[in-house]
Amino acid sequence: MEKRKLSFWQIWNMSFGFLGIQFGFALQGGFMSRIFQTLGAEVDSIPGLWIAAPLTGLLVQPIIGYLSDNTWSPKFGRRKPFFLIGAVLASITLFFMPHSPVLWVAAGLLWVLDSSINISMEPFRALVADKLPESQRSNGFVIQTLIIGIGTWIASNLPWLVNKLGVTNEAAAGVIPPSVVVAFSIGAFVFITSILFTIFTTKEDPPVDLEKFKSEKNESRFIPDLFASLKEMPSTMKKLGLIQFFSWFAFFTMWSLSTPALTEHVYNSPSPNVKEFNMNDVSQKATYDAANLKYQDAANLVGSTSGIYGLSSMAFALLLTFYTMKNKINRKYIHMVSLILGGLGFIYMFYATPSTLMYSFILIGFSWGSILSMPYAMLSSSVNPKKMGMMMGLFNMFIVIPQIIAALGGINFLYKLIGEAHINAMLLAGISLIIAGLCNFFITDKNAISG
């Protein structure tokens, strides 16, 4: 049975919760490395501290996908209970994260935060495929990307903005600045309220044959269903997985190392190592405090400038939203060109100045906008709709596995083949994203390409 078409505002309402999810991701992606450095982490140890993010995704997303596929409540729906559980946990963790007294507490809270965000996020992807007919799926994922772009830009600018409004960016050694604390508190509020907006404005449709659904639910078992889904994985999904591998390796590199790389290379303001200063010496303490404030200010600027990729991804999504409402697109070539442009943006960071760094993030935003929409639109046209949640969860293996490899030493090993300077990690990200773009040549399924 063909699903009815939804209006722009109906799709907007069902996707609005992604604003909160992206606040969580943008604060995590933009400022966790800064928190780790402030708490004393060495730069080369930062990717390893980030391993919580991909590892929890690997464990959580297939499970949540399976559970949401097999959930139906006339009162609460199918996906919405998972939105709410994840939002409550993520909001609490966002609030407490910048109060971490020591490094291991921040690393532990990152595990909780990323797990909670994943609990909310994965069912949102499945909801688009649940509610929209094939002809509207590109439009649905693009509108999600538009909202994600808004969230990325605002959240990335929060520490800079609250600092401009009078909240200090100074703090003692090993203490997170108040500007970051306030930003994370705002993020916690936006996360829960945006999820609640979607829950109260969106009605989920029951299974077409409810009795058959209940029968299949009683017969289903996670482990057998997991292996069956792996066996049924279509060729297009595997090819998209290769593209995702190189795409997410690049972005994980950016999230984990862009703050130390850009504060050093572009702003000439590396994080001072407190161990190199005698804090009982007034002169040395003053030198440390000055260097730390310079670093914190530079980190604010890196976060603010990186938020531009949210704006350009939003512009990308806005153009595609209007176009896909009435026209079909070639998803394959849009994704290919967008990824290559993003790769060039990363490479340009090596030559950027504080006034030109924004151009790198504009190009990166095009790739980010495409990564968040085109692969999912191509995937949703290729898999069994009854297993959409499970397949979306499995698809995320192709997102988290490269991040685990990166966190376990892949980034440090590969970027040092280029050179010891941390900025070379951004060159590595650029090369990886260009490879991802070229891998689109492997996509040949006409149903996946056109939509």
Side-chain angles (χ1 to χ4, degrees), residues 174-191:
V175 178
I176 313 302
S179 59
V180 177
V181 174
V182 173
F184 272 67
S185 299
I186 294 171
F189 175 78
V190 173
F191 200 122

Side-chain angles (χ1 to χ4, degrees), residues 182-432:
V182 173
F184 272 67
S185 299
I186 294 171
F189 175 78
V190 173
F191 200 122
I192 189 68
T193 53
S194 64
I195 292 287
L196 288 173
F197 180 86
T198 286
I199 288 173
F200 288 124
T201 60
T202 301
K203 181 180 179 182
E204 291 192 79
D205 300 319
V208 175
D209 187 334
L210 190 56
E211 292 305 315
K212 185 178 179 182
F213 173 83
K214 290 178 179 178
S215 174
E216 290 176 347
K217 174 185 175 181
N218 291 332
E219 295 173 3
S220 69
R221 297 292 182 272
F222 176 69
I223 298 299
D225 282 7
L226 175 64
F227 283 104
S229 297
L230 285 169
K231 189 175 180 180
E232 296 168 8
M233 191 180 292
S235 173
T236 297
M237 185 170 171
K238 296 173 185 176
K239 293 172 182 177
L240 285 168
L242 183 64
I243 298 167
Q244 293 288 80
F245 182 95
F246 289 104
S247 300
W248 287 87
F249 187 97
F251 272 86
F252 184 84
T253 302
M254 181 187 79
W255 293 325
S256 60
L257 287 182
S258 63
T259 296
L262 297 176
T263 51
E264 290 175 17
H265 186 77
V266 177
Y267 292 95
N268 195 29
S269 304
S271 176
N273 186 348
V274 69
K275 296 175 184 178
E276 297 176 358
F277 296 83
N278 179 2
M279 300 303 282
N280 294 318
D281 183 288
V282 175
S283 176
Q284 288 196 41
K285 184 179 183 300
T287 302
Y288 170 84
D289 288 343
N292 186 47
L293 179 59
K294 188 178 179 185
Y295 163 74
Q296 298 293 349
D297 287 340
N300 269 6
L301 291 172
V302 169
S304 178
T305 306
S306 70
I308 291 172
Y309 86 86
L311 279 183
S312 58
S313 70
M314 183 171 62
F316 170 92
L318 196 59
L319 289 172
L320 282 185
T321 297
F322 290 121
Y323 189 81
T324 56
M325 290 177 80
K326 295 184 179 180
N327 303 281
K328 288 190 174 184
I329 56 173
N330 188 306
R331 298 162 176 163
K332 168 181 172 176
Y333 287 117
I334 286 175
H335 198 41
M336 179 188 297
V337 173
S338 299
L339 293 180
I340 292 173
L341 287 174
L344 294 175
F346 277 117
I347 291 171
Y348 179 69
M349 287 179 176
F350 188 84
Y351 307 98
T353 65
S355 60
T356 63
L357 183 61
M358 62 180 290
Y359 300 118
S360 285
F361 285 108
I362 288 172
L363 294 175
I364 290 167
F366 296 149
S367 63
W368 183 237
S370 189
I371 285 169
L372 294 175
S373 54
M374 292 300 105
Y376 295 98
M378 287 190 270
L379 175 68
S380 67
S381 302
S382 309
V383 300
N384 181 355
K386 291 183 179 179
K387 293 188 173 182
M388 190 62 67
M390 171 70 88
M391 285 301 188
M392 288 289 183
L394 288 177
F395 189 54
N396 281 293
M397 289 194 310
F398 299 118
I399 292 175
V400 299
I401 290 173
Q403 295 181 65
I404 292 171
I405 292 171
L408 290 176
I411 294 175
N412 290 339
F413 174 75
L414 290 173
Y415 91 73
K416 288 180 181 179
L417 295 177
I418 304 172
E420 290 291 326
H422 298 125
I423 192 63
N424 291 315
M426 299 301 101
L427 297 181
L428 172 64
I431 293 167
S432 183

Side-chain angles (χ1 to χ4, degrees), residues 149-161:
I150 296 169
T152 300
W153 179 68
I154 297 174
S156 298
N157 277 283
L158 275 178
W160 172 85
L161 178 60

